[in-house]
Amino acid sequence: MRVVAFGYMTWGRRTIEAVLAAGHEVPLIVTHPDGDNAYEKIFNESVADLAADHGIPLLVRNRAEDAEVREAVAGAAADVMVVSNWRTWLPPEVYSLPRLGTVNVHDALLPAYAGFAPLNWALINDEPEVGVTAHMMNAEFDAGDIILQLRTPVSDDDTVVDLFDRTLAMFGPITVEALERVATGRTDWTPQDRTAASYFHRRGEEDNRIDWAWPARDIFNLVRAQADPYPNAYCFHRGERLRVLRARVTDDAIGGTPGRIVIRRGSGVVIVAGADARRGRNRGVLVERVRTDDGREYDAADHFPQMGGYLTSHPS
């Protein structure tokens, strides 16, 4: 089939590579310009370079609502369009041009986690599994009828990078399979249950701030959801920002005031967590590895030579 591709960063590149490897003809690629957002500098394998390597015509746009994009897509005479990590709205005047419609590939188990940073948000929310959805595009973000989904379980040992690796490996196979199904002319896809839908915004610095009044498991999930190379979860100690690189939940209850630095355990230190920690029924957070603003990393037990004092959500 002739497949026009809209894609950006590593997700977009791997999707288009799979389309090409499956023997489809790609007459046009549309991608975004490189972005300044910290999240857009991660896993940023170039779609533009892929187009150049294969001699495929390329358009670079922040948005796809101008006449030149519409004319280019129409001129490509595509059977179908594939979209992967396109980060702005696609108008019906564009996605409806191919005769078989447009397939969007999204790294979440829709209808939940439409929008941005779905793996980070899913891990923060302690989801038992994540995955990838191939669906037909409609006028609402990530809301079209589902063609198929692939899933992977989440364990306590997983960080967001583990989930990224596993879901990224699904992008090629799910795209190729979705194209095979669409090529049959089928249209009996599964409508999304909109009562179960959720949409999430882009993550920014404020979203990574640790609140020690949260339960210990929530803090643990935030830390692993922002593991390197993502911007890390952070707090403050004596007014200085401290990034928490690795943590886990204690097996025992740790009572006291949220944020209190209590005791060394191995190479880490235990921090009181939870708004009602004074009752002595909450688990604590064992902070194991930290990074200071100058880029130096420490085992937490080395960074805190004395117990006592507090980790805070804001400079104090």
Side-chain angles (χ1 to χ4, degrees):
M1 290 193 297
R2 287 174 63 84
V3 182
V4 167
F6 279 64
Y8 183 48
M9 298 172 63
T10 299
W11 296 269
R13 179 170 178 132
R14 297 296 176 83
T15 301
I16 299 168
E17 287 174 342
V19 171
L20 291 167
H24 298 291
E25 181 182 358
V26 179
L28 174 68
I29 292 175
V30 186
T31 192
H32 293 303
D34 290 338
D36 293 329
N37 184 287
Y39 288 82
E40 294 187 16
K41 297 180 183 298
I42 306 169
F43 309 123
N44 193 18
E45 297 179 22
S46 174
V47 169
D49 288 350
L50 176 66
D53 291 343
H54 289 269
I56 298 171
L58 175 74
L59 289 177
V60 180
R61 293 287 190 279
N62 278 314
R63 304 188 68 85
E65 298 171 46
D66 62 80
E68 185 180 2
V69 173
R70 292 195 298 272
E71 291 168 5
V73 174
D79 297 298
V80 66
M81 192 156 76
V82 168
V83 176
S84 178
N85 199 39
W86 183 259
R87 301 173 77 82
T88 56
W89 184 66
L90 272 178
E93 293 81 5
V94 174
Y95 70 72
S96 63
L97 283 168
R99 66 180 184 87
L100 295 174
T102 292
V103 176
N104 185 51
V105 184
H106 181 66
D107 50 342
L109 295 173
L110 296 173
Y113 297 97
F116 297 90
L119 294 179
N120 308 79
W121 286 114
L123 195 49
I124 286 166
N125 290 330
D126 215 13
E127 297 290 355
E129 61 179 2
V130 295
V132 177
T133 300
H135 67 93
M136 299 304 297
M137 181 169 280
N138 65 13
E140 189 176 350
F141 276 114
D142 302 326
D145 292 353
I146 293 172
I147 303 169
L148 73 157
Q149 294 181 317
L150 299 177
R151 300 168 182 267
T152 184
V154 178
S155 78
D156 280 2
D157 294 327
D158 286 323
T159 70
V160 67
V161 178
D162 298 312
L163 303 185
F164 166 82
D165 288 339
R166 297 208 298 274
T167 55
L168 180 64
M170 299 173 181
F171 267 65
I174 200 171
T175 302
V176 172
E177 175 64 21
L179 289 177
E180 290 177 358
R181 295 187 186 189
V182 169
T184 67
R186 282 180 57 189
T187 57
D188 58 334
W189 315 121
T190 304
Q192 293 190 34
D193 178 2
R194 303 312 296 158
T195 65
S198 56
Y199 179 90
F200 285 81
H201 61 76
R202 298 173 191 261
R203 291 188 61 77
E205 182 173 323
E206 182 63 26
D207 303 302
N208 300 332
R209 188 188 303 271
I210 296 171
D211 184 344
W212 295 101
W214 286 7
R217 186 165 181 88
D218 288 0
I219 296 170
F220 161 68
N221 285 334
L222 176 61
V223 169
R224 64 193 183 124
Q226 296 299 140
D228 287 341
Y230 287 93
N232 304 124
Y234 67 92
C235 58
F236 293 87
H237 180 238
R238 297 176 178 172
E240 300 295 324
R241 185 192 300 263
L242 191 67
R243 291 168 173 81
V244 179
L245 307 184
R246 191 172 69 243
R248 58 188 176 89
V249 180
T250 64
D251 293 328
D252 55 338
I254 305 295
T257 301
R260 176 78 174 190
I261 305 165
V262 177
I263 190 172
R264 291 188 185 86
R265 285 189 180 168
S267 60
V269 297
V270 175
I271 313 298
V272 179
D276 59 346
R278 67 189 182 281
R279 301 184 186 280
R281 302 190 187 107
N282 295 349
R283 300 288 185 262
V285 177
L286 179 60
V287 174
E288 296 178 318
R289 190 78 174 166
V290 298
R291 179 185 294 134
T292 54
D293 257 356
D294 59 9
R296 289 185 290 182
E297 293 185 18
Y298 304 89
D299 286 339
D302 293 331
H303 183 71
F304 299 101
Q306 296 178 335
M307 297 297 95
Y310 293 86
L311 297 181
T312 60
S313 298
H314 297 82
S316 57

